[in-house]
């Protein structure tokens, strides 16, 4: 009996030491899309409608990225080049606002119908370009429902050996929850490009020099002052004006900005696009952050002291007495210089940066609305505004998406540069078009040789007309990966990406990437070998706009 008991215990101990069989779930589809952006949803719709199976693996809970995250005053550029499923999105928004029930806080007739270079609600073309965040999110959810899409939310790529490859092909990737997603083709539709990076695809972070691609507007742009986002008066950067020994005010770099035209590893500023309202029934007064520090905004007081009164200039109206409020002026919602670690940062570091941006911007709103040192007309007007109670209701009425204006950019088969945007060369294999200005927000705030504070990096250069974007800017180099497409972190220079980075363009490129992915599966091709003549034919049949006579 004693021997039998010892044998049983020994057998149990041996069994407990054996490696356990993995029970981690594996999910398979023809196309796996990583991301929850507008491009991700549109790409999934296209794959489904083309007859292939597709999964969206989204680190986000809310779908739509910036389109549903506060950027409702759409950067359309030339809206005639927005076709395909992207135009269908804006048509669905039009259908929503064409119903009188959509006008909750104001009458439709009271809405000014103003958009960026176009009317907001275009009845002739049945499109609506300006919208509330929750409306955009509902349109994306409707896309999901109508096309029976499967979405795995809050699933974060395991960035430590989470991508499995066989040669140049991705086989699968794992998420932090333990799930594995296996596919034939993959699309990285994130703002950060994590899947692309973990798959071993080359990319760039920061600004290339102006000589890298023979560009005028790339690299450090000291002395180039576009828009209104620079210090027009001489303002001392020091705590005690004109006394360098007193120390520097917050959010001013003491490092030299770099030589004009030189490359660096800095990126344009991020912010939250705020949905605000001055309609009392729907207004939540700006909350005061727990770690509020009015000293962070001392530089803004000095801006006001110079007589600048344009603080309220970017409260762009969207329906129902709300705004899409963006950065405006030399010291505003753009948190200049505080995001350099974000593109390649760990998830924890990114969360820290996101929280710091939230604290900064929430404190800024409180400061301008409440601090008695703010000029009375601006303070009084600002106090009439607040967060919209019916937006972002599960996040304290705060946007759920930080505006990642730029992170990684792939170095793929073809690099789009300002020479493409400015129509200086013919673009091979076009799969969509852009038209917005090459728009970079400020990259750094520094001290000039004369001892004054200044911003650098804000650029706004308009192309002479719409320009084509090459299929090669969506595909990695074949020696790096053959079954991945990248419609957001596209292969482009910093300044060219300043135009490409508009939400309608991401949707356009998301659909084109999906069409190519389906063709690659059907023809057993690598993404680089997809026959362009057939790709062009299919895209045109789906009403994508690829080229335009100027």
């Amino acid at each position: 009996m004693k021997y039998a008991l010892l044998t049983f215990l020994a057998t149990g101990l041996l069994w407990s030491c054996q490696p356990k069989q993995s029970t981690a779930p594996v999910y398979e589809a023809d196309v796996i899309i990583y991301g929850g952006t507008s491009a991700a949803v549109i790409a999934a719709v296209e794959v489904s409608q083309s007859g292939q199976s597709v999964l969206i693996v989204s680190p986000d809970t809310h779908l739509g990225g910036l389109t549903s995250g506060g950027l409702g005053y759409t950067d359309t550029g030339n809206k005639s080049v927005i076709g395909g499923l992207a135009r269908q999105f804006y048509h669905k928004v039009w259908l929503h606002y064409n119903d009188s029930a959509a006008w909750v806080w104001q009458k439709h007739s009271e809405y000014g119908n103003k958009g960026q270079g176009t009317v907001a609600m275009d009845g002739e073309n049945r499109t609506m370009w300006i919208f509330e965040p929750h409306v955009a999110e509902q349109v994306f959810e409707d896309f999901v429902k109508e096309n029976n899409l499967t979405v795995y939310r809050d699933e974060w790529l395991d960035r430590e050996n989470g991508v499995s490859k066989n040669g140049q092909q991705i086989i699968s990737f794992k998420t932090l929850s333990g799930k594995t997603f296996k596919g034939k083709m993959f699309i990285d539709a994130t703002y950060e490009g994590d899947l692309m990076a973990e798959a071993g695809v080359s990319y760039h972070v920061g600004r290339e020099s102006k000589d890298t691609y023979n560009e005028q507007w790339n690299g450090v742009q000291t002395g180039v002052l576009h828009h209104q986002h620079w210090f027009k008066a001489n303002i001392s950067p020091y705590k005690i004006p004109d006394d360098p020994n007193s120390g520097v005010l917050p959010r001013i770099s003491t490092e030299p900005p770099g030589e004009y035209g030189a490359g660096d590893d800095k990126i344009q500023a991020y912010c939250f696009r705020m949905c605000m309202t001055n309609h009392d029934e729907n207004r939540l007064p700006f909350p005061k952050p727990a770690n509020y520090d009015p000293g962070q905004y001392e530089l803004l007081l000095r801006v006001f002291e110079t007589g600048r009164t344009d603080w309220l200039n970017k409260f762009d109206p969207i329906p129902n007495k709300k705004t899409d409020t963006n950065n405006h002026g030399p010291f505003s919602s753009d948190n200049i210089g505080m995001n350099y670690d974000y593109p390649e940062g760990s998830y924890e570091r990114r969360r820290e940066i996101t929280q710091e941006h939230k604290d900064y911007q929430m404190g800024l709103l409180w400061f301008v609305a409440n601090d008695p040192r703010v000029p009375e007309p601006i303070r009084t007007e600002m106090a009439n505004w607040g967060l919209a109670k019916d937006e972002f209701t599960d996040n304290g009425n705060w946007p759920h998406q930080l505006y990642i204006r730029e992170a990684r950019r792939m170095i793929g088969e073809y690099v789009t540069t300002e020479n493409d945007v400015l129509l200086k060369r013919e673009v091979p294999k076009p799969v969509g078009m852009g038209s917005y200005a090459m728009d970079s927000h400020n990259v750094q705030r520094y001290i000039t040789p004369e001892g004054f504070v200044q911003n650098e990096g804000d650029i706004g250069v308009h192309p002479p007309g719409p320009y084509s974007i090459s299929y090669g800017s969506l595909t990695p180099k074949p020696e790096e990966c053959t079954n991945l497409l990248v419609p957001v972190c596209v292969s482009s220079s910093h300044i060219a990406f300043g135009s490409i980075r508009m939400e309608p363009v991401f949707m356009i490129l998301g659909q084109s990437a999906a069409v190519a992915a389906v063709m690659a599966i059907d023809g057993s091709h690598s993404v680089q070998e997809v026959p362009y003549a057939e790709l062009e034919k299919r895209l045109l049949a789906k009403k994508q706009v690829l080229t335009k006579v100027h």
Side-chain angles (χ1 to χ4, degrees):
M1 187 71 179
K2 182 178 179 181
Y3 176 78
L5 179 61
L6 289 173
T7 302
F8 174 78
L9 291 173
T11 303
L13 180 62
L14 180 64
W15 174 256
S16 69
C17 293
Q18 297 300 310
K20 293 181 173 60
Q21 294 297 314
S22 173
T23 57
V26 177
Y27 302 89
E28 294 190 46
D30 295 315
V31 181
I32 307 294
I33 298 170
Y34 183 60
T37 61
S38 60
V41 178
I42 294 299
V45 171
E46 176 56 48
V47 173
S48 177
Q49 292 183 355
S50 294
Q52 300 282 8
S53 60
V54 61
L55 297 176
I56 298 177
V57 184
S58 172
D60 310 304
T61 301
H62 297 274
L63 297 179
L66 255 296
T67 297
S68 61
L71 205 166
Y73 197 73
T74 306
D75 303 307
T76 49
N78 186 326
K79 64 182 186 296
S80 68
V81 304
I82 301 171
L85 289 172
R87 181 165 283 264
Q88 191 177 132
F89 169 85
Y90 296 106
H91 172 62
K92 285 176 171 284
V93 175
W94 180 87
L95 289 174
H96 173 83
Y97 286 109
N98 205 42
D99 183 347
S100 60
W103 299 90
V104 178
W105 303 116
Q106 71 180 149
K107 295 178 180 178
H108 186 183
S109 59
E110 297 173 349
Y111 177 61
N113 207 33
K114 179 180 179 291
Q116 283 211 56
T118 181
V119 294
M121 195 168 192
D122 183 352
E124 180 181 354
N125 292 293
R126 295 165 61 86
T127 51
M128 178 74 166
W129 305 99
I130 313 297
F131 44 81
E132 299 159 276
H134 76 272
V135 172
E137 184 170 2
Q138 187 58 56
V139 171
F140 287 119
E141 293 294 348
D142 290 344
F143 269 132
V144 169
K145 185 176 181 180
E146 292 162 5
N147 293 276
N148 296 312
L149 301 178
T150 300
V151 184
Y152 292 90
R153 304 173 197 247
D154 197 23
E155 291 289 344
W156 297 79
L157 175 68
D158 180 353
R159 293 165 63 192
E160 298 292 333
N161 303 311
V163 175
S164 175
K165 289 181 72 178
N166 180 11
Q168 287 75 45
Q169 279 203 319
I170 301 172
I171 302 301
S172 64
F173 67 79
K174 294 188 299 183
T175 57
L176 295 180
S177 70
K179 297 181 180 68
T180 295
F181 295 92
K182 185 176 181 181
K184 299 173 184 176
M185 288 287 151
F186 294 81
I187 296 175
D188 185 336
T190 63
Y191 292 123
E192 295 84 1
D194 285 342
L195 178 59
M196 169 190 76
E198 296 308 309
V201 173
S202 298
Y203 62 86
H204 189 83
V205 174
R207 298 182 286 189
E208 301 89 352
S209 76
K210 67 183 182 65
D211 297 327
T212 302
Y213 298 118
N214 189 29
E215 297 175 294
Q216 178 181 355
W217 302 107
N218 213 339
V220 177
Q221 296 288 310
T222 44
V224 179
L225 303 171
H226 294 177
H227 298 123
Q228 303 294 318
H229 313 314
W230 52 283
F231 295 91
K232 297 180 179 180
N234 292 333
I235 296 177
S236 175
Y238 304 113
K239 293 180 179 178
I240 299 175
D242 305 321
D243 180 6
N245 294 324
S246 66
V248 177
L249 291 175
R251 303 178 189 277
I252 300 175
S253 172
T254 58
E255 298 295 320
E259 296 295 321
Y260 174 83
D264 60 21
D265 59 359
K266 300 178 174 69
I267 56 175
Q268 59 180 307
Y270 298 167
C271 70
F272 288 94
R273 295 291 283 253
M274 302 303 304
C275 185
M276 295 168 19
T277 183
N278 61 357
H279 186 62
D280 285 341
E281 290 182 72
N282 194 36
R283 181 177 67 90
L284 176 72
F286 295 123
K288 185 178 183 179
N291 59 353
Y292 175 68
D293 175 12
Q296 296 296 314
Y297 313 107
E298 181 69 30
L299 185 57
L300 179 58
L301 289 178
R302 297 188 186 183
V303 173
F304 288 145
E305 287 170 0
T306 68
R308 286 194 71 155
T309 59
D310 54 348
W311 172 261
L312 305 167
N313 279 18
K314 281 299 290 178
F315 288 30
D316 292 318
I318 62 175
N320 283 312
K321 296 186 177 181
K322 300 175 190 176
T323 72
D324 168 0
T325 302
N326 196 12
N327 177 83
H328 182 80
F331 192 106
S332 183
S333 57
D334 276 2
N335 197 1
I336 300 170
M338 304 301 287
N339 61 343
Y340 299 156
D341 289 350
Y342 186 91
E344 298 180 290
S346 66
Y347 291 139
E348 181 181 9
R349 180 65 182 129
R350 288 179 185 168
R351 283 192 291 270
E352 291 173 353
I353 291 170
T354 300
Q355 184 63 48
E356 197 279 332
H357 278 65
K358 181 178 179 179
D359 291 342
Y360 163 75
Q361 198 162 334
M362 188 180 288
L364 177 67
L365 297 170
W366 170 269
F367 177 82
V368 177
N370 292 279
D371 196 292
R373 296 171 294 170
V374 173
E376 191 276 334
I378 295 175
R379 186 178 72 253
T380 300
E381 177 62 22
M382 193 67 182
N384 289 329
W385 292 88
L387 305 181
K389 291 180 182 179
D390 59 353
E391 298 291 349
F392 314 117
T393 54
D394 64 347
N395 197 41
N397 308 108
W398 192 266
H400 45 69
Q401 175 66 60
L402 182 63
Y403 195 172
I404 311 302
R405 287 190 172 93
E406 181 179 20
R408 296 183 178 100
R409 300 186 311 282
M410 180 171 65
I411 304 174
E413 279 204 297
Y414 184 89
V415 180
T416 299
T417 73
E418 73 172 40
N419 297 302
D420 301 273
V421 177
L422 298 178
L423 307 181
K424 292 183 178 181
R425 65 179 181 181
E426 185 174 349
V427 175
K429 301 180 179 180
V431 290
M433 300 195 78
S435 62
Y436 204 79
M438 292 189 294
D439 181 23
S440 171
H441 281 232
N442 278 306
V443 174
Q444 56 186 332
R445 179 176 290 137
Y446 69 102
I447 302 172
T448 68
E450 296 77 23
F452 303 114
V453 62
Q454 191 53 271
N455 295 335
E456 182 275 322
D458 185 86
I459 299 293
V461 178
H462 289 270
Y467 60 92
S468 296
I469 300 169
S470 174
Y471 178 59
S473 281
L474 308 187
T475 57
K477 297 173 183 176
E479 63 269 23
E480 294 179 345
C481 194
T482 57
N483 66 335
L484 173 69
L485 290 142
V486 184
V488 177
C489 294
V490 297
S491 178
S492 65
S493 69
H494 155 75
I495 195 59
F497 192 74
S499 174
I500 294 170
R501 64 175 182 84
M502 305 304 155
E503 290 289 301
V505 179
F506 288 155
M507 286 191 258
I508 291 167
L509 298 181
Q511 182 177 9
S512 293
V515 173
V518 169
M519 287 182 60
I521 293 171
D522 289 343
S524 299
H525 300 301
S526 69
V527 294
Q528 294 85 2
E529 295 171 334
V530 169
Y532 177 71
E534 179 62 23
L535 176 60
E536 178 186 43
K537 181 179 176 181
R538 292 195 188 187
L539 293 177
L540 291 174
K542 295 173 183 292
K543 301 189 185 306
Q544 290 278 59
V545 182
L546 309 183
T547 58
K548 197 169 182 69
V549 176
H550 302 289

